[in-house]
Amino acid sequence: GENVEQHPSTLSVQEGDSAVIKCTYSDSASNYFPWYKQELGKRPQLIIDIRSNVGEKKDQRIAVTLNKTAKHFSLHITETQPEDSAVYFCADGTGYSSASKIIFGSGTRLSIRP
Amino acid sequence: DGGITQSPKYLFRKEGQNVTLSCEQNLNHDAMYWYRQDPGQGLRLIYYSQIVNDFQKGDIAEGYSVSREKKESFPLTVTSAQKNPTAFYLCASSLGRGGNEKLFFGSGTQLSVL
């Protein structure tokens, strides 16, 4: 992908509420949309990903939705817990060539209020 | 993800000096990436390589150089031409060629200017 915009840059939610982070991409050839979580002082870790042939994917409290027509995808975290506090990055990728790469958004710092 | 190792953890560069950051993986991954992370910002792509002896420039390649002589190694040199090198540098790898697979990150190198 060529450009990924991520919003909001910071998000604070009450414990138990839901959090939503949104990203838009520009490259029509993008076909892979992962989300990474980076806790303080640690390396980013993949938490969920979705490919362009799927509209939604869930894994327990985490879900990702993709709207290819609008070129945007979102991360949904339900029943938030203190351990969800971290920086979340969306990314997009275009596969199958030597020039294929993964580009990241600018990140969202999520804080969970007790 | 102990299969990808970055060294050193902290590195200091003097004015006009080139420094090299090491990234080694024993995961037999084809693709390797270098990202730069500045405080409060996302992961910006410096260089990437989908196959041995081939690499591509990312969005912020100026002032950096890489080599990919071996599958398991992808060192990054920060040259004196990079005027603002202070940042956290993350190396990553993925199993297949193409920007559509899970990235495994190293633990990072913090580079500072003396």
Side-chain angles (χ1 to χ4, degrees):
Chain A
E2 294 300 326
N3 186 45
V4 181
E5 293 189 3
Q6 182 171 348
H7 301 280
S9 57
T10 60
L11 179 61
S12 177
V13 301
Q14 194 75 35
E15 183 178 349
D17 288 350
S18 296
V20 180
I21 302 170
K22 298 181 179 181
C23 288
T24 59
Y25 62 97
S26 60
D27 189 348
S28 298
S30 296
N31 56 14
Y32 176 63
F33 306 94
W35 286 88
Y36 286 80
K37 176 183 180 182
Q38 186 178 29
E39 296 178 51
L40 191 62
K42 296 189 176 181
R43 69 193 80 185
Q45 300 267 11
L46 179 72
I47 54 172
I48 196 167
D49 57 11
I50 192 168
R51 299 189 186 273
S52 58
N53 57 346
V54 176
E56 183 176 1
K57 184 177 179 180
K58 281 186 177 181
D59 183 3
Q60 299 181 10
R61 297 186 296 107
I62 293 173
V64 56
T65 58
L66 172 64
N67 183 328
K68 283 192 67 180
T69 303
K71 292 185 185 171
H72 65 70
F73 55 111
S74 301
L75 178 71
H76 304 253
I77 305 175
T78 58
E79 301 172 21
T80 52
Q81 300 170 4
E83 54 264 35
D84 294 329
S85 293
V87 179
Y88 291 81
F89 295 99
C90 64
D92 84 333
T94 309
Y96 308 121
S97 80
S98 63
S100 299
K101 57 188 177 181
I102 295 180
I103 299 295
F104 283 82
S106 54
T108 296
R109 182 173 300 278
L110 175 63
S111 301
I112 308 300
R113 304 190 303 271
Chain B
D1 300 70
I4 180 164
T5 304
Q6 286 187 245
S7 63
K9 189 172 182 179
Y10 299 98
L11 186 59
F12 297 91
R13 194 190 88 168
K14 294 180 181 178
E15 197 74 33
Q17 185 183 39
N18 293 353
V19 293
T20 298
L21 285 60
S22 171
C23 180
E24 303 275 333
Q25 53 98 0
N26 62 3
L27 302 167
N28 199 33
H29 283 179
D30 280 324
M32 297 188 75
Y33 299 78
W34 275 105
Y35 291 93
R36 170 176 170 147
Q37 186 172 27
D38 293 278
Q41 296 194 32
L43 306 175
R44 292 186 290 167
L45 183 62
I46 306 173
Y47 268 99
Y48 60 108
S49 167
Q50 298 291 347
I51 193 172
V52 175
N53 292 322
D54 185 48
F55 49 83
Q56 308 289 333
K57 291 182 179 180
D59 298 324
I60 57 166
E62 186 174 351
Y64 300 96
S65 66
V66 293
S67 63
R68 187 85 188 276
E69 297 176 0
K70 298 186 296 182
K71 187 175 185 178
E72 58 269 25
S73 179
F74 192 41
L76 174 74
T77 296
V78 184
T79 74
S80 57
Q82 173 49 249
K83 298 307 179 188
N84 183 24
T86 297
F88 188 58
Y89 291 85
L90 282 163
C91 178
S93 68
S94 65
L95 179 62
R97 302 169 196 174
N100 58 359
E101 298 202 19
K102 175 182 177 180
L103 291 178
F104 292 78
F105 283 89
S107 55
T109 293
Q110 176 64 51
L111 175 63
S112 302
V113 177
L114 289 176

